[in-house]
Amino acid sequence: METLSINSPTKDSTLPSGLQISEEVEKRYNVVKSVGEQCIHDDELKDLLAKKAAPVCYDGFEPSGRMHIAQILNVNKLTSAGCRVKIWIADWFAYMNNKLGGDLKKIRVVGEYYKEIFQAAGMNSENVEFLWSSDEINARGDEYWPLVMDIACRNSLAQIKRCMPIMGLSETEELSAAHILYVCMQCADTFFLEADICQLGMDQQTVNLLARDYCDAVKRGNKPVILSHHMLPGLQQGQKKMSKSDPSSAIFMEDEEAEVNVKIKKAYCPPDIVEGNPCLEYVKYIILPWFSEFTVERDDKYGGNRTFKSFEDIAADYESGELHPKDLKDALSKALNKILQPVRDHFKTNSRAKNLLKQVKGYKITRVMPTASSTDKEDLSVNTSSAASSSDTGLQVSEEAEMKYKTVRSIGEECIQEDELKNLLAKKPAPICYDGFEPSGRMHIAQGVMKVTNVNKLTSAGCQVKIWIADWFAQLNNKLGGDLERIRVVGEYFKEIWQAGGMNNDKVAFLWASDEINGKGNKYWPLVMDIARRNNLRRILRCGQIMGRSETEVLSAAQILYPCMQCADIFLLEADICQLGMDQRKVNMLAREYCADIKRKNKPIILSHHMLPGLQQGQEKMSKSDPSSAIFMEDEEADVNEKINKAYCPPKTVEGNPCLEYVKYIVLPRFNEFKVESEKNGGNKTFKSFEDIVADYESGELHPEDLKKALMKALNITLQPVRDHFKTNERAKNLLEQVKAFRVTR
């Protein structure tokens, strides 16, 4: 991470780059530099001003309540020095931070009210652009969101949590997933706006430094210069910052003269003490920059009137007792009222401004934090299969609908909830099923054969199947080193396998996540943000299993974004049924919880299929990085035979026996039978049910060697069309060569 050492201003007019600085540039530099309490780095700022006539300055705000006086400064100085100022009206950020209860309409009203104030206060708008974050991001989402995702991929969750002060939070507080997304988005804003200078408060410094670190990571030469302005304290003792929810802590831009006078009169202002004195801070950071002087009017016997030109002189007089707190306060009130009078007049005479202020004053300042939960909110009890021919709603189910139900239900090891599934199939002729995968390496047999079997069953029951090729998700999970080109190649290879494996494509749509999201970004990303802001971080962390992660692993910020996006996929695809593996159950439950949260009646039905184990003892799942753990779809006959021969298959033991699992979940659904040929162990036998196979195996009548031979034969028959396709089809052959060459990384 970049060091926080700050360049002190140099008198030398030659930069480290050797560039000679003109008097005009030196003058512009002094004006711009005066805006910041801290600059990272001074030499970069000088270099920028010497090379660029109109550098872009990024400033912004969350529209979240009445405007306090500190928010009006600095822009005119920047434009006078030739800068273009882009003011980011961060409405989506206020929404994610649950300001004004997350009500976007109210947030937009507050944004318009802010613009009225800037206009009334005399902001030179000639080189100023007001940009609504929602409008700009929606218009260029295909540029913005990949940048957000890349920032999320390159930063750990711990690094992002260190940026929580930008939202007035600490990393130890109960955070929502949206707070993680917020930081990544604000970092992206800097590059999205093509900012040369980040002109924000000291409280935003951590995320601005994150942007500079990102430049190092992507080898970007021109880092944004950070110009951080001072943060005014609250007016009462011990208030480190002003608070919009506490009117006594700050002067607001439309405060009446009497209100200003009362607030300053009650403000903390200890005699002879400069440090921690909010009245003196107001003089230093508001009055002197605004008027270039501070005039104190007092009786001759107390020293008479005096006009100060520097804060040092004011501080000296105050510490010595020559400047009394009452005289300081009276002068401060007068100067503040002079600044505010044009704003007051505008809000009294302009009907639009008057209406906006009335609305803003009526808003309650709220920030609702996500509720903590240690378990999923929805009851996880699962319906057992019912022989009844009507659902709990009383709807009579036809024989055809009952057959469709049995076909669809046979796919899942678990169904949440069965009565909902029956109801859906009775009412909707072509329900939408969502299935998906991360393209991340060679395809194992569960993804190939089980997927083909399941999809064909679904389409035979009238379902439309949308297969989500989750390329962006593979990138977020750092599969194949996050290389999108490679990920796309793997996605095409998967499609070739399903085609060769006999998938009925009549009612199947293959959808690339990146293409669909870019095409429907205006609908998708607000949904992601809403899901993120409604769920605390711990709830999202529990979904880590969907990525093959545990809650205790060192995670990147991307792995917080991933579950929120996968949850949103379900609604973007208008899915009635989520047909995914048991390992995806927690995020599917998140989608059902979200429906309950937003009062959406039709929850997605979860149909979770079984997860095949690895072939070796103790392997709970197959691994693409360990070829011996799984059968791959283009494995040669000899490879299959060798892997099954070496597979764990203890005699008379069914539980935890991967060979029997392959028979149950791959061979029987494919062939509706399992043929065992044996010359010495009881002769040939054809099994029609898994229960019969189990009975014979546990009794010892079915020997492991015979089981394995029969399994090899069935698997090789299944895989032969795929092998043939990859040998005879040039496109498929080329894809396989590329995929085999890719190193499986995460």
Side-chain angles (χ1 to χ4, degrees):
M1 190 167 178
E2 181 167 351
T3 177
L4 295 185
S5 62
I6 315 299
N7 297 103
S8 55
T10 174
K11 294 179 183 177
D12 191 357
S13 294
T14 304
L15 288 170
S17 63
L19 186 69
Q20 201 70 25
I21 298 297
S22 68
E23 191 176 333
E24 182 197 353
V25 169
E26 192 74 34
K27 190 176 177 181
R28 287 172 64 207
Y29 164 78
N30 289 332
V31 171
V32 173
K33 178 69 171 67
S34 71
V35 167
E37 180 172 68
Q38 191 180 81
C39 179
I40 304 172
H41 287 280
D42 283 355
D43 58 332
E44 292 177 19
L45 178 58
K46 277 193 177 182
D47 201 38
L48 171 68
L49 294 169
K51 291 177 177 177
K52 197 166 183 178
V56 174
C57 293
Y58 153 49
D59 198 348
F61 62 89
E62 268 189 13
S64 57
R66 295 173 65 197
M67 182 188 284
H68 55 64
I69 198 163
Q71 290 175 287
I72 63 167
L73 300 172
N74 300 334
V75 170
N76 286 357
K77 280 189 176 182
L78 293 168
T79 56
S80 73
C83 297
R84 291 169 54 208
V85 180
K86 294 182 178 180
I87 298 181
W88 194 236
I89 311 177
D91 53 340
W92 266 358
F93 294 78
Y95 172 72
M96 284 191 293
N97 207 9
N98 277 318
K99 296 294 180 69
L100 298 173
D103 188 325
L104 269 173
K105 287 185 180 178
K106 289 182 177 180
I107 290 166
R108 293 285 290 208
V109 168
V110 174
E112 292 296 337
Y113 147 84
Y114 272 42
K115 287 164 69 178
E116 289 288 335
I117 287 180
F118 288 132
Q119 175 189 333
M123 180 181 283
N124 176 10
S125 56
E126 195 173 320
N127 286 314
V128 176
E129 287 181 88
F130 288 97
L131 303 170
W132 288 94
S133 68
S134 57
D135 295 343
E136 296 299 311
I137 293 169
N138 274 338
R140 293 161 54 203
D142 56 343
E143 175 187 342
Y144 184 79
W145 291 109
L147 181 58
V148 172
M149 288 189 288
D150 193 42
I151 290 165
C153 287
R154 292 175 184 272
N155 285 280
S156 70
L157 180 57
Q159 286 172 302
I160 298 299
K161 285 173 79 173
R162 285 199 288 270
C163 296
M164 288 304 118
I166 70 172
M167 291 167 273
L169 300 169
S170 75
E171 57 187 288
T172 58
E173 285 186 60
E174 181 74 77
L175 302 175
S176 76
H179 292 135
I180 305 303
L181 177 56
Y182 185 120
V183 174
C184 299
M185 287 173 65
Q186 185 169 329
C187 183
D189 294 343
T190 303
F191 307 104
F192 185 65
L193 295 171
E194 299 178 333
D196 301 301
I197 301 169
C198 294
Q199 197 281 297
L200 298 160
M202 286 291 293
D203 59 339
Q204 305 298 302
Q205 190 184 81
T206 51
V207 76
N208 292 334
L209 283 166
L210 193 73
R212 288 179 63 91
D213 290 341
Y214 179 72
C215 291
D216 289 335
V218 298
K219 298 182 172 51
R220 184 182 191 268
N222 298 323
K223 296 182 183 181
V225 175
I226 304 174
L227 198 59
S228 304
H229 63 249
H230 181 74
M231 299 294 295
L232 278 181
L235 289 170
Q236 305 305 312
Q237 186 174 5
Q239 289 181 330
K240 290 184 178 179
K241 59 188 289 188
M242 294 177 282
S243 170
K244 293 176 183 179
S245 59
D246 178 6
S248 70
S249 72
I251 303 298
F252 293 98
M253 287 301 294
E254 359 67 29
D255 275 349
E256 294 294 341
E257 184 173 348
E259 291 176 295
V260 172
N261 295 342
V262 168
K263 287 181 182 182
I264 296 301
K265 186 177 180 180
K266 292 181 177 180
Y268 179 62
C269 191
D272 308 336
I273 296 175
V274 173
E275 191 173 348
N277 188 323
C279 292
L280 284 168
E281 293 232 4
Y282 267 53
V283 172
K284 180 178 182 180
Y285 292 103
I286 295 175
I287 308 305
L288 282 172
W290 194 274
F291 296 107
S292 300
E293 62 183 24
F294 179 57
T295 299
V296 176
E297 297 174 348
R298 55 193 174 184
D299 195 280
D300 287 343
K301 64 181 179 180
Y302 297 118
N305 298 347
R306 182 169 179 191
T307 297
F308 295 91
K309 298 289 186 180
S310 74
F311 184 72
E312 290 73 20
D313 291 342
I314 297 169
D317 272 21
Y318 194 80
E319 283 182 316
S320 69
E322 285 187 40
L323 178 55
H324 191 271
K326 184 182 182 302
D327 296 328
L328 172 71
K329 285 185 171 186
D330 288 345
L332 175 57
S333 295
K334 186 174 181 179
L336 289 172
N337 280 313
K338 192 172 181 180
I339 292 170
L340 298 184
Q341 194 56 48
V343 179
R344 293 181 193 128
D345 293 342
H346 181 71
F347 277 89
K348 285 174 183 173
T349 58
N350 183 290
S351 57
R352 181 176 186 272
K354 191 188 298 184
N355 179 53
L356 287 168
L357 178 58
K358 184 180 178 182
Q359 292 181 72
V360 171
K361 281 187 171 181
Y363 297 157
K364 186 179 178 183
I365 305 298
T366 58
R367 183 171 73 195
V368 183
M369 300 306 290
T371 54
S373 60
S374 57
T375 58
D376 299 337
K377 299 171 195 170
E378 182 167 345
D379 180 11
L380 299 188
S381 60
V382 183
N383 296 104
T384 56
S385 297
S386 170
S389 61
S390 63
S391 72
D392 292 346
T393 62
L395 181 72
Q396 201 65 28
V397 177
S398 67
E399 190 176 336
E400 181 191 356
E402 191 72 28
M403 284 179 64
K404 285 169 66 178
Y405 165 76
K406 286 178 180 176
T407 300
V408 173
R409 179 63 183 87
S410 69
I411 289 167
E413 182 170 68
E414 179 183 270
C415 178
I416 303 174
Q417 304 278 357
E418 288 184 346
D419 58 317
E420 294 175 17
L421 178 59
K422 279 192 176 183
N423 221 356
L424 172 69
L425 295 169
K427 288 181 175 179
K428 193 168 183 178
I432 295 171
C433 296
Y434 152 54
D435 199 345
F437 65 94
E438 272 188 10
S440 57
R442 293 173 66 197
M443 183 187 284
H444 56 62
I445 201 163
Q447 288 175 306
V449 176
M450 281 179 70
K451 183 88 73 186
V452 169
T453 301
N454 290 347
V455 168
N456 288 353
K457 281 186 177 183
L458 290 168
T459 56
S460 74
C463 297
Q464 295 180 55
V465 180
K466 293 182 177 179
I467 297 182
W468 194 239
I469 312 177
D471 52 343
W472 268 357
F473 293 79
Q475 184 184 41
L476 285 170
N477 207 11
N478 203 30
K479 295 293 180 69
L480 299 173
D483 187 324
L484 263 179
E485 286 187 16
R486 291 185 171 190
I487 290 165
R488 295 281 291 207
V489 167
V490 174
E492 292 296 337
Y493 147 85
F494 271 41
K495 287 163 67 178
E496 289 287 336
I497 286 181
W498 286 320
Q499 177 189 331
M503 183 179 284
N504 176 8
N505 290 336
D506 286 349
K507 294 178 182 177
V508 176
F510 289 98
L511 304 171
W512 288 94
S514 56
D515 294 343
E516 294 298 309
I517 293 169
N518 275 336
K520 299 172 184 173
N522 294 7
K523 177 182 177 183
Y524 183 78
W525 291 109
L527 187 56
V528 172
M529 288 187 281
D530 193 38
I531 291 164
R533 76 189 185 94
R534 290 175 185 270
N535 286 279
N536 64 43
L537 193 53
R538 289 184 292 112
R539 176 65 184 92
I540 298 300
L541 284 169
R542 287 203 301 276
C543 292
Q545 182 187 9
I546 69 173
M547 299 167 278
R549 308 280 179 174
S550 73
E551 294 178 45
T552 57
E553 279 189 63
V554 176
L555 299 177
S556 73
Q559 284 146 358
I560 302 304
L561 182 53
Y562 187 121
C564 300
M565 289 173 64
Q566 186 169 328
C567 184
D569 295 344
I570 294 165
F571 304 103
L572 183 73
L573 295 171
E574 300 176 337
D576 300 301
I577 300 170
C578 297
Q579 199 284 296
L580 297 160
M582 286 293 292
D583 59 339
Q584 305 298 302
R585 183 181 190 272
K586 288 186 177 179
V587 77
N588 292 334
M589 287 302 304
L590 189 72
R592 287 180 65 91
E593 291 168 17
Y594 179 68
C595 290
D597 209 9
I598 64 171
K599 311 288 189 292
R600 185 183 192 266
K601 288 185 178 178
N602 297 323
K603 296 180 181 180
I605 293 156
I606 305 173
L607 197 61
S608 304
H609 63 250
H610 182 75
M611 300 294 294
L612 278 182
L615 289 170
Q616 305 305 312
Q617 185 174 5
Q619 289 180 330
E620 290 185 4
K621 58 188 287 188
M622 294 178 282
S623 170
K624 293 178 182 180
S625 58
D626 177 7
S628 70
S629 72
I631 304 297
F632 293 96
M633 288 299 292
E634 359 68 27
D635 272 349
E636 294 295 340
E637 185 172 346
D639 296 325
V640 172
N641 295 345
E642 183 182 358
K643 288 179 183 181
I644 297 300
N645 269 324
K646 291 181 178 179
Y648 179 62
C649 190
K652 301 182 181 180
T653 302
V654 174
E655 191 172 346
N657 187 323
C659 292
L660 284 169
E661 293 232 2
Y662 268 53
V663 173
K664 181 178 180 179
Y665 292 103
I666 294 176
V667 179
L668 281 173
R670 185 79 168 184
F671 297 102
N672 297 315
E673 62 182 21
F674 181 55
K675 290 183 179 180
V676 176
E677 297 171 351
S678 175
E679 294 178 2
K680 58 182 180 179
N681 295 317
N684 300 346
K685 187 170 181 180
T686 299
F687 296 91
K688 296 291 185 180
S689 74
F690 187 65
E691 290 73 19
D692 291 344
I693 298 169
V694 166
D696 274 20
Y697 195 79
E698 285 183 319
S699 70
E701 285 188 39
L702 177 55
H703 194 272
E705 184 182 347
D706 295 328
L707 172 71
K708 286 186 173 186
K709 283 180 181 177
L711 177 56
M712 289 177 210
K713 185 173 182 180
L715 292 176
N716 280 313
I717 290 169
T718 302
L719 297 182
Q720 195 56 48
V722 179
R723 294 180 190 129
D724 293 342
H725 181 71
F726 278 89
K727 285 174 182 171
T728 58
N729 183 289
E730 285 302 318
R731 181 175 186 273
K733 191 189 297 185
N734 179 51
L735 287 168
L736 179 58
E737 285 175 5
Q738 292 183 71
V739 171
K740 282 186 171 180
F742 296 158
R743 187 180 171 195
V744 178
T745 59
R746 188 170 70 187

